[in-house]
Amino acid sequence: MLKCFFKILPMALFVVSMNSARAADEEQERMEIQQPIIDMVFKEKWSKLDTLFSSYVNGFPSTSNGTHKLILAYLAVTDNNVSKPDGGESTADDWLKANPDSTVAMMLKASSYSSKAFYLRGEGAAETVDEDVWPKFKALIEQEKSYLLKHKNIADKDPMWYQLMISVARNLNDHELLMKTLEEGSQKYPTHQNIYLDAMEGSLPKWGGSPELVEKIAQLAASRTSAQSGKSYYSYVWYNALSFQPEMMELLDAGQIISWETMKTGWHDRYKAYPTPQIATEYMTTACLAQDEKGFTEGYSWVNNQYGELVEQVWLRNMSYNRCADFFRSKHK
């Protein structure tokens, strides 16, 4: 379908990221969660922050579209520190002086090493980085790994430990460590979405992984959470994988590796939990790729045919409602 789809329809150039693919109402929710945290960090309200983060670990409360509030809370802390040359280490040290047992401060301290490593690396492609930078980069990532291992006891209280260790494994190209960490973390925190997402990102073909590895992670996510969420996590992992590496869209189009029947079931399960235009649109864009006109039409009906409510940024690369609708109409001519 992809070749036909892009032959019939004009090209559009944009790629969604996990953080940009949000409905406007979720952006408001995000601001309401993150702004008070930013203010508390600025005012050094460490105890209040620790209490708030603990509440976000308990049961992983989510926004209306299913984003875990714990992730948004951590982003509020790290996004305001990663651009600093010290990667937020001074903030973490001040926090730890006030509360040496703060798991959040420890995680900020750990992430400061990779933040410094990427500050040193710069934003260019790998081939543009000076050769003498890479040993320093790796040394900082190894420091993060050592710090995390030293404080592994906090993994019983905060799933961010597993996320950071998965990121460390990805940055060290250590897939054995990545999968070992995913296995342990998903047993301890089976419903924590970002453990699977971080492992998926580190297993993409562009990072030396493969579609088969992404499928393995999606299947693991679904199996760990089937009692609570059915096949929802399968769809969630694969949708984000297609967003991160659009070249893999061809797999769904060709009926290879990705199970459309499993993904379709997953969208139904996810919509039951989060009945929003964003989830309906994620279903529609993947149904279009799978050439499932009934699924595409069904997803549209979930938003009561109000196209204005659909989330434009959620469509996968070079796709939109009108393009998909035109494609299906062309098949009936």
Side-chain angles (χ1 to χ4, degrees):
M1 174 206 170
L2 280 176
K3 292 181 180 178
C4 296
F5 180 78
F6 295 130
K7 182 178 180 181
I8 293 172
L9 306 171
M11 298 290 283
L13 299 176
F14 69 88
V15 181
V16 283
S17 69
M18 184 175 63
N19 290 330
S20 67
R22 301 175 192 277
D25 58 342
E26 174 144 327
E27 288 294 343
Q28 181 62 37
E29 289 181 72
R30 178 174 180 163
M31 288 179 60
E32 291 173 356
I33 293 167
Q34 294 184 314
Q35 191 55 55
I37 292 173
I38 294 171
D39 292 341
M40 282 188 275
V41 171
F42 179 75
K43 295 175 183 177
E44 300 185 351
K45 302 291 186 181
W46 310 127
S47 294
K48 287 186 177 181
L49 283 163
D50 288 322
T51 300
L52 180 62
F53 273 76
S54 293
S55 72
Y56 288 157
V57 172
N58 185 20
F60 299 122
S62 303
T63 63
S64 58
N65 280 322
T67 305
H68 286 181
K69 293 181 179 181
L70 178 66
I71 299 305
L72 297 180
Y74 263 110
L75 286 173
V77 172
T78 58
D79 282 358
N80 284 275
N81 285 282
V82 293
S83 60
K84 299 178 182 178
D86 77 343
E89 186 173 19
S90 58
T91 300
D93 288 341
D94 290 342
W95 197 331
L96 288 167
K97 286 179 184 177
N99 183 5
D101 296 324
S102 171
T103 63
V104 184
M106 290 180 192
M107 293 299 90
L108 179 58
K109 175 84 170 182
S111 65
S112 72
Y113 294 110
S114 56
S115 296
K116 285 185 282 188
F118 280 96
Y119 183 87
L120 185 67
R121 178 199 181 283
E123 297 182 357
E127 56 267 22
T128 67
V129 180
D130 291 338
E131 286 299 319
D132 63 346
V133 168
W134 291 116
K136 300 172 185 176
F137 177 93
K138 184 176 180 180
L140 284 165
I141 302 301
E142 289 286 0
Q143 281 184 271
E144 181 176 7
K145 179 181 177 180
S146 296
Y147 185 88
L148 287 170
L149 290 174
K150 179 180 178 182
H151 297 282
K152 189 178 180 182
N153 62 306
I154 71 170
D156 290 331
K157 304 174 185 176
D158 195 332
M160 184 56 65
W161 188 95
Y162 290 100
Q163 276 189 247
L164 291 184
M165 186 59 83
I166 287 172
S167 295
V168 162
R170 182 177 72 240
N171 291 328
L172 293 177
N173 295 317
D174 188 341
H175 196 74
E176 182 179 350
L177 174 62
L178 187 152
M179 294 305 291
K180 177 182 177 182
T181 305
L182 170 63
E183 179 66 25
E184 181 180 320
S186 63
Q187 287 185 12
K188 189 172 293 185
Y189 300 103
T191 60
H192 186 54
Q193 296 171 148
N194 282 61
I195 289 177
Y196 306 107
L197 291 185
D198 281 24
M200 171 275 292
E201 186 177 359
S203 300
L204 292 171
K206 64 181 178 181
W207 299 121
S210 67
E212 288 81 4
L213 282 173
V214 175
E215 170 68 4
K216 182 178 180 180
I217 292 167
Q219 291 285 1
L220 175 66
S223 67
R224 289 275 195 265
T225 59
S226 60
Q228 302 91 344
S229 306
K231 300 296 183 181
S232 172
Y233 277 47
Y234 181 88
S235 305
Y236 186 70
V237 170
W238 261 117
Y239 170 80
N240 280 281
L242 298 177
S243 297
F244 285 140
Q245 189 156 357
E247 297 87 347
M248 292 196 300
M249 290 161 59
E250 295 181 2
L251 296 173
L252 189 55
D253 172 57
Q256 298 174 345
I257 300 177
I258 306 172
S259 168
W260 171 240
E261 288 306 312
T262 303
M263 182 179 279
K264 186 173 184 178
T265 300
W267 287 130
H268 282 82
D269 293 336
R270 195 158 185 82
Y271 190 76
K272 288 177 184 177
Y274 309 108
T276 66
Q278 175 172 321
I279 305 304
T281 307
E282 290 172 356
Y283 176 27
M284 292 167 67
T285 189
T286 50
C288 183
L289 276 178
Q291 303 184 58
D292 184 343
E293 186 174 3
K294 288 184 178 179
F296 176 78
T297 303
E298 180 182 42
Y300 189 53
S301 72
W302 288 353
V303 288
N304 298 316
N305 297 335
Q306 296 298 309
Y307 176 69
E309 295 182 12
L310 295 181
V311 186
E312 295 282 356
Q313 299 95 326
V314 168
W315 291 93
L316 294 168
R317 189 178 71 176
N318 300 327
M319 302 183 74
S320 71
Y321 169 78
N322 288 328
R323 293 184 178 92
C324 288
D326 286 347
F327 172 78
F328 285 122
R329 278 195 291 267
S330 73
K331 294 179 68 175
H332 296 296
K333 291 180 179 179

Short mmCIF file of all heavy atoms in Angstrom, two decimals, residues 2 8 10 61 66 76 133 183 193 201 212 216 218 222 233 271 277 285 295 308 329:
data_model
loop_
_atom_site.label_atom_id
_atom_site.label_comp_id
_atom_site.label_asym_id
_atom_site.label_seq_id
_atom_site.Cartn_x
_atom_site.Cartn_y
_atom_site.Cartn_z
N LEU A 2 1.98 1.25 0.70
CA LEU A 2 2.77 2.46 0.83
C LEU A 2 3.13 3.05 -0.53
O LEU A 2 3.00 4.26 -0.74
CB LEU A 2 4.06 2.18 1.61
CG LEU A 2 3.92 2.13 3.13
CD1 LEU A 2 5.24 1.76 3.75
CD2 LEU A 2 3.45 3.47 3.66
N ILE A 8 -0.42 8.11 -5.07
CA ILE A 8 -1.70 8.77 -5.26
C ILE A 8 -1.75 10.12 -4.57
O ILE A 8 -2.32 11.08 -5.08
CB ILE A 8 -2.85 7.89 -4.70
CG1 ILE A 8 -2.97 6.62 -5.54
CG2 ILE A 8 -4.17 8.63 -4.68
CD1 ILE A 8 -3.93 5.62 -4.95
N PRO A 10 -0.21 13.55 -2.25
CA PRO A 10 0.94 14.44 -2.12
C PRO A 10 1.71 14.15 -0.84
O PRO A 10 1.16 13.64 0.12
CB PRO A 10 0.30 15.84 -2.07
CG PRO A 10 -1.09 15.60 -1.57
CD PRO A 10 -1.49 14.27 -2.12
N PRO A 61 -0.74 6.99 38.05
CA PRO A 61 -1.84 7.78 37.50
C PRO A 61 -1.43 8.41 36.17
O PRO A 61 -0.27 8.75 35.96
CB PRO A 61 -2.08 8.85 38.58
CG PRO A 61 -0.79 8.94 39.33
CD PRO A 61 -0.24 7.55 39.33
N GLY A 66 -3.32 8.81 28.56
CA GLY A 66 -2.55 7.66 29.02
C GLY A 66 -1.09 7.90 29.30
O GLY A 66 -0.34 6.95 29.54
N ALA A 76 9.80 17.51 33.91
CA ALA A 76 9.79 18.87 34.44
C ALA A 76 11.09 19.17 35.18
O ALA A 76 11.60 20.29 35.15
CB ALA A 76 8.60 19.07 35.38
N VAL A 133 36.31 13.04 21.56
CA VAL A 133 35.14 13.22 22.44
C VAL A 133 34.59 11.88 22.90
O VAL A 133 34.12 11.75 24.05
CB VAL A 133 34.04 14.02 21.70
CG1 VAL A 133 32.72 13.96 22.47
CG2 VAL A 133 34.47 15.46 21.51
N GLU A 183 13.80 -7.07 31.37
CA GLU A 183 13.17 -8.25 31.95
C GLU A 183 12.91 -8.05 33.45
O GLU A 183 11.80 -8.31 33.93
CB GLU A 183 14.06 -9.48 31.73
CG GLU A 183 13.52 -10.77 32.30
CD GLU A 183 12.26 -11.25 31.63
OE1 GLU A 183 12.04 -10.91 30.45
OE2 GLU A 183 11.48 -11.98 32.28
N GLN A 193 4.81 2.13 31.51
CA GLN A 193 4.93 2.15 30.06
C GLN A 193 6.34 2.46 29.55
O GLN A 193 6.81 1.88 28.57
CB GLN A 193 3.96 3.17 29.47
CG GLN A 193 2.50 2.83 29.72
CD GLN A 193 1.55 3.93 29.33
OE1 GLN A 193 0.44 3.66 28.91
NE2 GLN A 193 1.97 5.16 29.47
N GLU A 201 13.12 1.93 22.01
CA GLU A 201 13.94 2.93 21.31
C GLU A 201 15.37 2.42 21.15
O GLU A 201 15.99 2.61 20.10
CB GLU A 201 13.92 4.25 22.07
CG GLU A 201 14.64 5.36 21.32
CD GLU A 201 14.56 6.69 22.03
OE1 GLU A 201 13.94 6.77 23.11
OE2 GLU A 201 15.14 7.67 21.52
N GLU A 212 12.46 -7.27 14.62
CA GLU A 212 12.15 -8.47 15.42
C GLU A 212 12.32 -8.19 16.91
O GLU A 212 11.54 -8.69 17.74
CB GLU A 212 13.05 -9.63 14.99
CG GLU A 212 12.72 -10.22 13.63
CD GLU A 212 13.29 -9.42 12.46
OE1 GLU A 212 14.02 -8.42 12.71
OE2 GLU A 212 13.01 -9.77 11.30
N LYS A 216 9.51 -8.28 19.83
CA LYS A 216 9.70 -9.03 21.08
C LYS A 216 9.35 -8.17 22.29
O LYS A 216 8.70 -8.65 23.23
CB LYS A 216 11.17 -9.50 21.18
CG LYS A 216 11.47 -10.32 22.41
CD LYS A 216 12.93 -10.79 22.40
CE LYS A 216 13.24 -11.62 23.64
NZ LYS A 216 14.66 -12.08 23.63
N ALA A 218 7.33 -5.50 22.25
CA ALA A 218 5.89 -5.23 22.22
C ALA A 218 5.10 -6.42 22.76
O ALA A 218 4.11 -6.25 23.50
CB ALA A 218 5.46 -4.90 20.79
N ALA A 222 2.77 -6.53 26.19
CA ALA A 222 1.38 -7.00 26.19
C ALA A 222 1.18 -8.15 27.17
O ALA A 222 0.17 -8.21 27.88
CB ALA A 222 0.98 -7.42 24.78
N TYR A 233 -0.75 -2.40 25.31
CA TYR A 233 0.67 -2.02 25.29
C TYR A 233 1.35 -2.44 23.99
O TYR A 233 2.34 -1.84 23.58
CB TYR A 233 1.39 -2.63 26.50
CG TYR A 233 1.25 -1.82 27.77
CD1 TYR A 233 0.01 -1.34 28.17
CD2 TYR A 233 2.35 -1.55 28.58
CE1 TYR A 233 -0.13 -0.62 29.34
CE2 TYR A 233 2.22 -0.81 29.74
CZ TYR A 233 0.98 -0.35 30.13
OH TYR A 233 0.84 0.39 31.27
N TYR A 271 -8.53 2.31 23.81
CA TYR A 271 -9.60 3.30 23.73
C TYR A 271 -10.60 3.14 24.88
O TYR A 271 -11.18 4.12 25.34
CB TYR A 271 -10.32 3.21 22.39
CG TYR A 271 -11.27 4.36 22.14
CD1 TYR A 271 -10.79 5.62 21.78
CD2 TYR A 271 -12.65 4.19 22.27
CE1 TYR A 271 -11.65 6.68 21.57
CE2 TYR A 271 -13.53 5.24 22.05
CZ TYR A 271 -13.02 6.49 21.71
OH TYR A 271 -13.88 7.54 21.50
N PRO A 277 -9.73 11.56 21.25
CA PRO A 277 -9.45 11.67 19.81
C PRO A 277 -8.04 11.22 19.45
O PRO A 277 -7.83 10.68 18.37
CB PRO A 277 -9.64 13.17 19.54
CG PRO A 277 -10.62 13.61 20.56
CD PRO A 277 -10.27 12.83 21.79
N THR A 285 -4.52 5.89 11.82
CA THR A 285 -3.31 5.97 10.99
C THR A 285 -2.69 4.59 10.78
O THR A 285 -2.19 4.29 9.70
CB THR A 285 -2.29 6.96 11.59
OG1 THR A 285 -1.23 7.16 10.66
CG2 THR A 285 -1.71 6.49 12.90
N GLY A 295 -11.49 -0.74 9.84
CA GLY A 295 -10.85 -0.23 11.04
C GLY A 295 -10.69 1.28 10.98
O GLY A 295 -10.91 1.98 11.98
N GLY A 308 -12.53 17.87 13.15
CA GLY A 308 -11.84 18.97 13.82
C GLY A 308 -11.28 18.59 15.18
O GLY A 308 -10.40 19.28 15.70
N ARG A 329 -11.03 5.66 -1.04
CA ARG A 329 -12.00 5.98 -2.10
C ARG A 329 -11.47 5.53 -3.47
O ARG A 329 -12.23 5.06 -4.31
CB ARG A 329 -12.28 7.49 -2.10
CG ARG A 329 -13.31 7.92 -1.07
CD ARG A 329 -13.81 9.32 -1.35
NE ARG A 329 -12.79 10.32 -1.13
CZ ARG A 329 -12.62 10.97 0.04
NH1 ARG A 329 -13.43 10.68 1.06
NH2 ARG A 329 -11.67 11.86 0.15
#
